[in-house]
Amino acid sequence: MAQNRTVVSESPLKAPNLVIEFPQISLAEDEGFTTALADLVNAGYTEAEAGIFKPGYLRTSASEIGSFIKAGVLAVASVPSPETTSHRQPLGCIAIKKLDENRAELGLFAVVIEQRGSGIGRDLMDWAERWCLENLGGPGVAIAQLDLLVPTHFTHPFKVRLDLWYTKRGYRITGSRDFALDYPSLAPQLVGPTEYRVYEKTLA
């Protein structure tokens, strides 16, 4: 997988010296780095999926994050760590899983809560879509796909906001499936009936 790297320009809201890249494989063994990433993902998903899963459910773990880094599928937004010059502090991430020659699935999308609204989420999504264009079928052929987990027994405000955000970016719903049927091992963790909606966008 190409080791694309983007240095994001500084802005009044965004953390300075922000870099988006596939981290070096060695960081998969850096417990501080993988734990920080797992913590920010779990914190974000705990809020974004409140009322969907029972209390105590965690979206990921440091070991899983490490495996994603080793596989080269997790892009990370980070800044220099204030504690050391040799390490970086993660502020967000997005996974890019190639499904076939023309399609990739985007997932594990999260930004540290303190940086929401700064534009890091937009930059991560822009980065992922650009990667798809450069590494898949080409303009007009590359397709980015993502899933949105939505409860069907109540209206979830965070999911409504995400649906609007994805729609504004050009994503369209192409179908939906019962989450419990496709992921039976996680079904006991659900509070109520839940579906995941599949969105896709043709990139050009």
Side-chain angles (χ1 to χ4, degrees):
M1 186 170 283
Q3 292 295 307
N4 306 63
R5 176 185 175 97
T6 298
V7 179
V8 181
S9 59
E10 189 173 333
S11 77
L13 292 176
K14 198 177 300 171
N17 303 314
L18 184 78
V19 170
I20 299 175
E21 62 185 342
F22 289 118
Q24 296 180 359
I25 302 300
S26 60
L27 284 173
E29 306 298 335
D30 186 322
E31 185 176 351
F33 188 78
T34 57
T35 298
L37 265 174
D39 286 347
L40 80 83
V41 169
N42 286 327
Y45 275 76
T46 295
E47 179 184 355
E49 296 181 344
I52 296 177
F53 288 102
K54 295 176 182 177
Y57 171 77
L58 295 178
R59 175 63 179 80
T60 191
S61 65
S63 61
E64 184 178 55
I65 291 292
S67 69
F68 291 154
I69 293 175
K70 286 181 180 178
V73 299
L74 188 67
V76 177
S78 66
V79 294
S81 171
E83 300 176 357
T84 173
T85 58
S86 62
H87 290 77
R88 300 192 65 83
Q89 177 182 346
L91 296 182
C93 62
I94 188 167
I96 309 171
K97 179 182 178 181
K98 187 175 179 180
L99 299 178
D100 58 39
E101 290 304 311
N102 297 322
R103 183 184 297 267
E105 181 181 55
L106 310 182
L108 210 68
F109 179 38
V111 173
V112 67
I113 292 174
E114 294 79 7
Q115 285 290 328
R116 282 190 185 158
S118 68
I120 293 177
R122 181 198 62 231
D123 290 336
L124 278 165
M125 187 64 73
D126 288 345
W127 194 97
E129 291 178 357
R130 185 165 60 251
W131 185 93
C132 291
L133 273 174
E134 294 173 354
N135 293 276
L136 298 179
V141 179
I143 297 173
Q145 174 183 312
L146 55 88
D147 299 337
L148 185 63
L149 196 63
V150 180
T152 56
H153 57 295
F154 73 98
T155 300
H156 198 297
F158 201 96
K159 300 299 182 177
V160 172
R161 295 202 303 272
L162 277 176
D163 172 76
L164 290 172
W165 193 71
Y166 289 140
T167 300
K168 287 180 179 178
R169 290 191 63 92
Y171 287 84
R172 297 291 180 267
I173 296 177
T174 59
S176 63
R177 294 181 61 85
D178 187 323
F179 181 82
L181 289 177
D182 281 8
Y183 300 95
S185 64
L186 292 177
Q189 299 289 339
L190 293 171
V191 172
T194 303
E195 67 180 14
Y196 62 94
R197 297 170 186 170
V198 181
Y199 293 70
E200 67 176 44
K201 176 181 178 180
T202 302
L203 305 170

